[in-house]
Structures are given as structure tokens and as C-alpha cells.
Amino acid sequence: MNNYQNQAVPWIRNLSPYEPGKPIDELERELSITNIVKLASNENPYGPSAVVTQALEDSIRELSRYPDGNGFRLKQALSHRLGFDCNRITLGNGSSELLDIIARVFLAPEAEAVFSEYAFAMYPIVVQTVGAKASVAPALASDSAMPYGHDLQAIRDRVTENTRLVFLANPNNPTGTYLPANDLHGFIRSLPARVMCVVDEAYFEYVEVDDYPDSLQWLDEFPNLIVTRTFSKAYGLAGLRAGYAISSPEVTDLLNRARQPFNLNIPAMAAAEAALSDSVHLQKTLDTNRVGLVQLSDGLQQRGLRVIPSVANFVTVDFRKPSEVVFRKLLREGVIVRPLAGYQLPEHVRVSIGTREENSTFLDALERIGVHD
Ligand SMILES: *Cc1c(COP(=O)(O)O)cnc(C)c1O
């Protein structure tokens, strides 16, 4: 008998898979309940705009054809929006695929990638998938000004002659913390030119603090900078899978060589292009989020719980007891949140910001399960 476990390369054998948020229909099947509120995957509670729905319907007629492997129309739309030529844009099947492509282009079994403790869970996965070494820098202390946030000095200290990549999430998921413009600029300037710096801006549309960087303006200064963004969060297209990276033309050429030729499907590209055109829907999303962030943060603090200050579309809260228990009790109330044991935060839960009603449903459910027992 073959032992296929032993035949796999060791780094794949030891890989822990990504843990997604619990799907609504899974809970429906398990508990035979309806009207479930899912606040577990940082999705847009309104879904995509009506303009997107129309573009999707139109795209169905083209499905017998292969997609445009160059993504011309979507890149053109992004190029107009962002002010960068198409030769600096790489499209991805979600920005997660771009993280994977970046790891495959720049890492190999002897190489190292540095990222922070409590950083987005895809970083260790993409690094380990290519057999490279992850070097994890301790995060800022829980009582610091940016609790659990990235510690740029600690990250810089971990850069060695073997380091090829640094992953920074700005803002970070699951902490909701961010890196101010001056600190981030100084950090990138301090990196050796051979170290690629990936700034993952999956939530950048939501951020409203004054010192949040406009990192794209640094691309000419730092040819080793790669910025990734997504249509999954603020644009409400998580189910379609569309993201993009902006980088120097030389790096963009490398990323495009390593991707599958048709990595984005026709509906995803049509929807993403349409989504960019509807600024009203985006504004409504951001307005709802701004109010909901205060509603949830205040509601949790009034119940005696500590929240990590967030600039994104979710908050992470400390229950001071195993959060798996809180998670399961909330499931019985029909509310799905995200326990963070997989992030080494076994007493924290991440809650996405929903509509006003969804946020209230969650806060009322907390009341019923009793957070103080
Ligand atoms: C959600 C998320 C992403 C990407 O999601 P995609 O759906 O793959 O675009 C990337 N980075 C962070 C930090 C995220 O939270």
C-alpha cells in the first residue's frame, strides 16, 4: 500500500488549511433554523450594487467563450480609477490568489518571509505551500496604543539575508489595526531593495483616519512595493473572486507570468468593472459601516467587553474566556461570528459590521447568552 501522506512534500504534509467562516446554509442544515445573521467573513451586508447585477446577467451570454486572459476592460477601468498604466496591474482570483502568486514568484525552500503575529491567515499558508520559512514577528502589546497591531521595528529586526518577502496587512485582519503613513514609509525605505514588501489593503476603502497612507503614491519611489486590493469586501463581491495588485512594470510582468492564463472568469471581471462605476453604492456601504462600527464597539463596551479599536468593517472583542463557547452559544441564537483560536487569540471573537438590524440582533443575542457568566 502506498502511504500518500509520506509521499507528499514535507511542507504540504504539515500545512494547516485556512479556516473559513461558517456558511449560512451549513448552520441552516445543522439546526434547522432560518433568518441567520452571518457576521463572520467581513462581507458587505448589502451585497453588490444593482449595476453589478445587470452586468452579471449580461455576462452570462458570453460563457461559452474563454475569458479575456489579459483582463483588458477591467484593467482599463482600474487604470482610469487609480492613475496607473495597465502594465502595473495584475488581476487575481481574489487577492488571496495574488498573495499565492507573489509567494511562488519570490520564495523558494531556502527563502524566508516575515510577517506579524495575528496577521492575516493566508500569509503562513502561501509561504508554507512553496516550502519557504515563515518568520513571525511579535505583535504590539495588548496595552499599547495600537493593541495587537503590527510592530514594524520587530518585523524589520527579523529581516535577514535570506528574507525575500514581507507581508503587511493595512488594516490587518483580524485585529482591525493599521499602520500610519509615516511609520510605513520609513519601514519600506529601511528595507533592502531585494526584499519585496507586500502591503495588503483588502479593507482600504473603509479606512477614514487621517494618517492612513496613500501607499500607491510610493510605487515609483519603491520598486519593491506591491499593493494588493480586493472586490470581496467593500464592493460586496466575495463570492465571485476578484482582486488586483499594483506594482512596478517589472514585478507586474513576473506576477503575470506565474498566474493561470484565465484566472478570472467572465462574470467576475464584468462585475468588478461595473462595481467600480457605482460610487453611490460604495458610499452607502461606507456610511453604514461608519455608524455600525460605533454601534458595535459601544454596544460591546457597554457590556463590559474590551474591543480592539478598528478602522475596518469588523471589530475583534475579548471575552476573557474561551471564545469557542461564545461562538457555539451564538450559533444557537442564529448568529455566526468568527472565533479566533486559529489566530492564537483563543478568547477573542471577530464580528463583522452588518446592517443596523444585524448588529442589534447580535448584541441582543449576547444579552441572552449572558456574557458575564
Ligand atoms: C479578506 C482578505 C483578503 C482577501 O480576500 P479575497 O477574497 O481573496 O480578495 C486579503 N487580505 C486580508 C487581510 C483579508 O482580510
Side-chain angles (χ1 to χ4, degrees):
M1 269 283 275
N2 269 328
N3 182 334
Y4 293 108
Q5 285 292 325
N6 288 340
Q7 267 175 249
V9 291
W11 47 88
I12 298 293
R13 212 185 301 149
N14 299 327
L15 191 63
S16 325
Y18 183 80
E19 290 174 33
K22 192 176 183 67
I24 291 176
D25 54 356
E26 188 176 298
L27 184 61
E28 278 175 352
R29 281 196 302 274
E30 286 169 2
L31 298 185
S32 307
I33 53 173
T34 51
N35 292 327
I36 289 164
V37 170
K38 183 185 177 203
L39 301 175
S41 301
N42 304 342
E43 295 144 340
N44 184 329
Y46 293 125
S49 98
V51 183
V52 166
T53 316
Q54 187 57 53
L56 278 171
E57 280 176 25
D58 295 345
S59 77
I60 287 170
R61 282 195 288 277
E62 301 166 46
L63 289 184
S64 60
R65 304 290 177 192
Y66 276 98
D68 172 9
N70 290 320
F72 179 80
R73 289 182 53 124
L74 177 54
K75 278 193 200 166
Q76 219 40 105
L78 283 166
S79 172
H80 283 135
R81 171 60 52 96
L82 303 169
F84 288 95
D85 286 347
C86 293
N87 67 353
R88 309 188 70 165
I89 302 172
T90 311
L91 301 179
N93 193 272
S95 57
S96 301
E97 191 201 26
L98 292 160
L99 302 174
D100 190 62
I101 292 171
I102 292 164
R104 287 194 289 113
V105 168
F106 291 105
L107 297 176
E110 316 79 53
E112 293 175 13
V114 185
F115 50 85
S116 175
E117 186 182 21
Y118 315 130
F120 183 46
M122 283 305 295
Y123 308 153
I125 293 175
V126 300
V127 171
Q128 204 178 328
T129 299
V130 295
K133 184 174 163 244
S135 180
V136 182
L140 294 170
S142 60
D143 58 357
S144 72
M146 194 75 79
Y148 304 94
H150 289 4
D151 181 342
L152 287 173
Q153 189 56 55
I155 292 172
R156 183 64 188 82
D157 289 345
R158 293 213 147 225
V159 172
T160 71
E161 60 186 18
N162 296 324
T163 305
R164 292 290 173 270
L165 270 183
V166 172
F167 288 104
L168 304 173
N170 198 28
N172 183 45
N173 166 21
T175 58
T177 51
Y178 73 100
L179 297 164
N182 283 339
D183 299 359
L184 181 56
H185 184 265
F187 173 84
I188 304 173
R189 196 178 42 205
S190 83
L191 282 178
R194 68 180 145 74
V195 177
M196 304 303 301
C197 184
V198 180
V199 178
D200 173 350
E201 296 187 348
Y203 302 94
F204 103 100
E205 292 90 352
Y206 290 105
V207 186
E208 298 189 334
V209 289
D210 290 337
D211 56 351
Y212 182 68
D214 175 6
S215 61
L216 296 182
Q217 74 178 29
W218 302 332
L219 279 162
D220 289 328
E221 184 181 357
F222 303 126
N224 57 338
L225 172 62
I226 306 175
V227 178
T228 63
R229 293 182 179 172
T230 182
F231 289 93
S232 297
K233 307 285 162 57
Y235 289 104
L237 293 176
L240 272 175
R241 318 303 302 127
Y244 58 96
I246 317 283
S247 54
S248 71
E250 198 183 340
V251 169
T252 305
D253 173 56
L254 290 165
L255 301 183
N256 274 290
R257 283 190 227 179
R259 69 176 176 82
Q260 293 284 324
F262 306 110
N263 58 335
L264 273 81
N265 62 56
I266 290 173
M269 287 192 283
E273 186 190 342
L276 278 179
S277 74
D278 192 347
S279 55
V280 174
H281 186 260
L282 179 64
Q283 200 53 54
K284 176 181 161 190
T285 297
L286 304 186
D287 291 345
T288 301
N289 193 71
R290 185 180 316 113
V291 177
L293 183 55
V294 174
Q295 183 193 2
L296 273 189
S297 303
D298 287 358
L300 287 161
Q301 276 161 332
Q302 281 156 14
R303 286 162 178 80
L305 299 166
R306 193 165 164 235
V307 301
I308 305 176
S310 170
V311 296
N313 69 338
F314 55 86
V315 286
T316 285
V317 48
D318 185 357
F319 278 91
R320 291 201 203 84
K321 60 182 171 191
S323 63
E324 193 63 32
V325 178
V326 178
F327 168 68
R328 282 202 302 272
K329 286 186 180 173
L330 283 171
L331 287 183
R332 273 183 257 127
E333 301 289 328
V335 178
I336 311 175
V337 295
R338 185 72 152 266
L340 295 176
Y343 279 94
Q344 315 307 322
L345 292 168
E347 304 198 332
H348 286 73
V349 164
R350 193 191 68 202
V351 188
S352 308
I353 293 155
T355 60
R356 163 162 285 282
E357 298 71 38
E358 289 173 327
N359 301 334
S360 298
T361 302
F362 161 72
L363 291 170
D364 293 348
L366 268 192
E367 212 58 63
R368 285 195 298 278
I369 68 171
V371 287
H372 304 290
D373 57 358

